[in-house]
Amino acid sequence: MSSVLGAGVKPTRGFLLDLKKRVKFIEEGYKLLEMKRDELARELRSNLDLLGVKRSELEKEFEEAFQKLLIVHGSVGTQEIKSLRTAAGKLLGIDVMPISVMGILVPFIKITDKPSFKNKYGSIIRSAAHDFENLLEKLLKVTELEMRIERIAEDLEKTNRKVNALEKIVIPDYNKVIKYIADRIDEDMLEEIIRTKLIRTLIIKRRS
Amino acid sequence: MSTYLTTRCHGLMTHLLSDEILDALSATKSSQEIKDILTPTDYGRHFREQDKGVDFSFEDIYSKVLVERYNFLSKVSTDDIREFLISFQRKFEIQNIIRILRSKIIKTTNQPFDDILYPITDFTKINFDAIGEAESLEDAIAALRNTPYRRVKESIDWYNKYDSLLPIEFGLRKIYYNMLFENLKRIPSGDRKNVDQLIRTEVDIANCFTCSAASVFDYDEELIESLLIPYTSKISMHTLRSVIRIDSEHEILTLLSPYYEVIKNLLAKEETMAQTEALRFLRNKIIKQKILESMNFTYVLCYLYLCEFELRDLTFITLAVQHNVKPDDYLIYKK
């Protein structure tokens, strides 16, 4: 009969009551998932807006920093730039930790070791190094936001699929089964009434 | 004594690239066009070798030509002048040492360093390989023990205190200037004052760049003070020390007014522009000296400075063309 219940459908009153309870529970879940979907969509939209702003800011700053670096590169030459790569002393170290947002695990980037440019660079390169030092943190923040958006979008997709499945398949299927069982019970009741009436008519005929 | 050398420099001066050639290079769109323009010049020989398959970058070629020009002058000089020219040329030696030492800071990397060194071989007795093979910065500095730079180990405490190579870099530069000024006595007495002033102007500019770091980039005052090179010209060490402790831009500009344009750009964090202004300032001084001292040794030094400026201009234009930087964006940095 149904893709949801398979062959286990019993057209009984007890089963019907059980099904109705189940549908009520599913509908409550559906409403909750719908709320979650709306909330995730709102979160995604606001994060996307934020990302749009931050990313364009970052791109602009990167463009300026790279332009400055290109000029510095031209001024000091490739050999000097190559040798200056290591002058900061440290490499960037990060820890990526999961934090939960509405039950979704999103990454949180913690900087554990940061190359410091203060007191490290001589003339010409200082300003470009300083710009890139500031950009590193911003870049990580944007990366974190992008990952957050990706995870929210993935979860939104899953939630959406669940909501759609409940809305378009599970609940209508249950309702169909309920209707089928209710119809069967009604038919059975009608049969019973007619049978009772027939028997009553037969009994009356025999007595008369 | 130096007349022959000066006369040769008059001839060599004609080999320097003219403003017209530099303008033509700025108008190019590709490396091939740059190569075509430079082929009839001193750089042509190396470009032909490059065509035969020798792996040189443009910048390698420019550095090679600069070093060859220095070497040629050293070869045709008398002993005393040669000694001075070699000590002048040691700036490339210390630059090479600094570049190798930088690679020792991050101990996790063992980068090849051959491609970052000036191709100096004729006068240097420094074993760059030994410095490069050292396990640590301390070992690399220890490898300098039998060289004129042995005293740089005194800067290691500063290096440890600030976790910065700057004290060692500037320690090497101080030794360089010390040797250079000691060797001034080897050049003709009539030229000493002019040459002394040219080098001191260079030091002044370097000191301006150094002391501006305290107010602009919040570098440690004590560290900056230790980096100052004492051979000053227009700005005394006392003034430089006081500039380190001043935050007011107006006061800094007033105290360092001989280099107003340079300082103005430094305070605006426009360091490349500041460098361009500094080179313009130095270049104007050199051009004046070149005309006034056209038959003296000072002319030789002017020629060498102009060779260095040519290297900077060529590197700048080539990299700008290779990176597709719009001419309007980089021509303002041309001297």
Side-chain angles (χ1 to χ4, degrees):
Chain A
M1 158 69 216
S2 155
S3 60
V4 178
L5 297 168
V9 178
K10 294 172 202 157
T12 61
R13 255 178 217 288
F15 194 71
L16 182 69
L17 282 173
D18 187 42
L19 272 184
K20 280 186 177 170
K21 265 188 210 166
R22 271 201 247 172
V23 169
K24 203 178 164 196
F25 180 73
I26 289 168
E27 276 173 349
E28 275 170 15
Y30 164 72
K31 273 177 197 158
L32 280 173
L33 280 174
E34 216 178 23
M35 278 160 67
K36 186 185 174 187
R37 182 186 66 181
D38 294 346
E39 196 51 44
L40 284 176
R42 202 171 303 127
E43 181 83 10
L44 185 70
R45 261 198 306 275
S46 68
N47 277 325
L48 278 171
D49 290 344
L50 188 65
L51 180 70
V53 174
K54 286 206 169 185
R55 208 170 161 155
S56 62
E57 267 176 21
L58 188 74
E59 276 170 8
K60 201 176 159 208
E61 284 176 43
F62 254 111
E63 209 177 302
E64 283 168 13
F66 268 111
Q67 187 69 19
K68 199 180 254 183
L69 186 66
L70 273 181
I71 298 296
V72 171
H73 186 183
S75 185
V76 299
T78 306
Q79 296 166 333
E80 185 70 3
I81 286 282
K82 270 188 186 172
S83 90
L84 280 165
R85 282 184 306 196
T86 51
K90 283 179 192 165
L91 297 171
L92 178 73
I94 55 164
D95 259 356
V96 183
M97 294 180 294
I99 55 164
S100 176
V101 176
M102 282 184 285
I104 309 161
L105 290 179
V106 294
F108 169 73
I109 299 173
K110 189 181 164 198
I111 299 173
T112 53
D113 218 351
K114 200 177 155 192
S116 163
F117 298 95
K118 192 186 161 188
N119 293 338
K120 298 280 166 63
Y121 284 108
S123 55
I124 317 293
I125 190 83
R126 282 181 304 214
S127 181
H130 190 255
D131 285 359
F132 275 97
E133 181 182 18
N134 293 337
L135 278 173
L136 262 183
E137 230 164 292
K138 287 184 183 174
L139 179 71
L140 288 177
K141 286 281 161 217
V142 169
T143 312
E144 194 183 286
L145 189 62
E146 278 187 355
M147 286 303 294
R148 186 190 174 102
I149 286 171
E150 206 173 288
R151 291 285 157 85
I152 291 174
E154 271 173 24
D155 205 79
L156 178 65
E157 201 186 326
K158 276 185 206 162
T159 311
N160 209 18
R161 223 179 285 143
K162 281 179 198 164
V163 168
N164 283 340
L166 288 178
E167 190 186 331
K168 310 264 191 248
I169 300 165
V170 180
I171 295 174
D173 275 5
Y174 266 95
N175 284 335
K176 267 187 214 166
V177 175
I178 287 169
K179 192 174 175 298
Y180 165 74
I181 295 173
D183 287 351
R184 278 288 300 273
I185 290 171
D186 282 351
E187 277 172 27
D188 286 353
M189 272 176 66
L190 199 63
E191 256 181 52
E192 193 62 34
I193 289 166
I194 290 167
R195 202 180 298 124
T196 314
K197 273 187 179 176
L198 275 171
I199 293 167
R200 201 175 140 213
T201 315
L202 279 172
I203 292 168
I204 290 168
K205 268 185 186 173
R206 272 185 202 165
R207 279 187 190 163
S208 60
Chain B
M1 172 166 124
S2 62
T3 319
Y4 173 71
L5 193 63
T6 311
T7 315
R8 288 304 301 255
C9 279
H10 275 275
L12 293 169
M13 198 70 91
T14 61
H15 290 236
L16 292 181
L17 302 179
S18 63
D19 284 346
E20 289 74 30
I21 293 182
L22 290 175
D23 288 343
L25 288 169
S26 308
T28 55
K29 296 265 186 290
S30 67
S31 302
Q32 186 57 45
E33 284 180 59
I34 293 176
K35 205 169 166 179
D36 292 342
I37 294 173
L38 291 178
T39 302
T41 67
D42 284 357
Y43 301 91
R45 185 168 61 83
H46 296 287
F47 280 119
R48 281 189 287 278
E49 281 177 32
Q50 195 187 37
D51 288 339
K52 283 177 197 162
V54 184
D55 186 23
F56 290 145
S57 73
F58 279 49
E59 287 173 82
D60 289 341
I61 292 172
Y62 303 153
S63 305
K64 266 175 188 290
V65 170
L66 178 71
V67 170
E68 280 170 9
R69 285 170 172 172
Y70 266 92
N71 290 344
F72 176 77
L73 284 190
S74 296
K75 272 178 197 152
V76 298
S77 306
T78 55
D79 289 348
D80 274 350
I81 298 280
R82 185 182 305 117
E83 275 304 309
F84 176 78
L85 288 177
I86 285 174
S87 61
F88 188 69
Q89 211 175 338
R90 287 194 192 278
K91 62 174 86 173
F92 304 122
E93 194 173 67
I94 59 162
Q95 199 57 40
N96 283 356
I97 296 172
I98 289 169
R99 285 174 182 174
I100 300 173
L101 292 182
R102 279 183 192 142
S103 70
K104 299 287 149 203
I105 301 176
I106 292 183
K107 294 175 181 78
T108 52
T109 57
N110 198 7
Q111 298 162 335
F113 54 84
D114 287 345
D115 61 336
I116 56 170
L117 304 186
Y118 282 102
I120 46 169
T121 47
D122 282 23
F123 70 90
T124 186
K125 291 190 176 92
I126 306 286
N127 185 350
F128 295 118
D129 288 332
I131 307 171
E133 282 158 17
E135 290 289 316
S136 65
L137 187 87
E138 286 76 7
D139 290 348
I141 288 174
L144 293 169
R145 63 182 165 274
N146 295 323
T147 72
Y149 308 110
R150 57 189 166 277
R151 267 178 30 232
V152 79
K153 69 169 188 269
E154 291 163 15
S155 307
I156 284 200
D157 291 342
W158 285 91
Y159 162 76
N160 289 327
K161 185 174 177 186
Y162 289 100
D163 187 26
S164 164
L165 196 69
L166 287 181
I168 291 168
E169 288 185 25
F170 280 78
L172 286 165
R173 291 202 175 108
K174 281 180 200 169
I175 295 170
Y176 162 74
Y177 283 112
N178 200 17
M179 289 192 295
L180 191 58
F181 281 102
E182 266 179 27
N183 277 313
L184 262 187
K185 61 178 184 287
R186 294 179 184 272
I187 64 170
S189 55
D191 286 295
R192 279 176 208 160
K193 200 178 161 200
N194 290 329
V195 172
D196 179 275
Q197 273 310 305
L198 277 178
I199 299 168
R200 279 175 188 273
T201 305
E202 188 186 295
V203 173
D204 258 4
I205 290 167
N207 281 337
C208 284
F209 272 90
T210 306
C211 67
S212 70
S215 63
V216 181
F217 295 100
D218 199 27
Y219 277 32
D220 199 283
E221 290 168 2
E222 190 192 27
L223 171 73
I224 294 293
E225 198 175 326
S226 75
L227 304 180
L228 296 175
I229 300 165
Y231 302 99
T232 59
S233 168
K234 288 182 180 170
I235 299 167
S236 67
M237 285 294 278
H238 174 75
T239 309
L240 287 166
R241 283 193 195 105
S242 53
V243 164
I244 294 170
R245 285 167 181 83
I246 291 172
D247 283 332
S248 154
E249 287 192 7
H250 178 71
E251 272 185 77
I252 295 174
L253 280 166
T254 312
L255 285 169
L256 304 178
S257 58
Y259 306 102
Y260 184 87
E261 288 300 323
V262 178
I263 302 301
K264 197 178 77 181
N265 283 298
L266 277 176
L267 295 177
K269 294 188 180 177
E270 292 288 342
E271 290 177 303
T272 312
M273 192 40 120
Q275 192 210 29
T276 309
E277 289 296 345
L279 293 175
R280 272 183 198 145
F281 183 89
L282 202 57
R283 189 188 171 97
N284 289 340
K285 212 172 164 72
I286 285 162
I287 301 278
K288 263 186 215 164
Q289 289 289 330
K290 198 179 89 164
I291 297 162
L292 290 171
E293 305 292 333
S294 62
M295 286 316 292
N296 297 323
F297 175 76
T298 309
Y299 189 87
V300 178
L301 203 77
C302 292
Y303 165 72
L304 290 175
Y305 270 117
L306 291 175
C307 288
E308 285 179 32
F309 293 165
E310 185 175 288
L311 171 76
R312 194 256 187 187
D313 278 344
L314 276 177
T315 307
F316 211 119
I317 293 170
T318 306
L319 288 170
V321 170
Q322 287 174 345
H323 289 130
N324 289 324
V325 181
K326 286 182 209 150
D328 289 348
D329 290 340
Y330 73 86
L331 285 178
I332 50 165
Y333 300 101
K334 205 171 139 244
K335 290 186 293 298

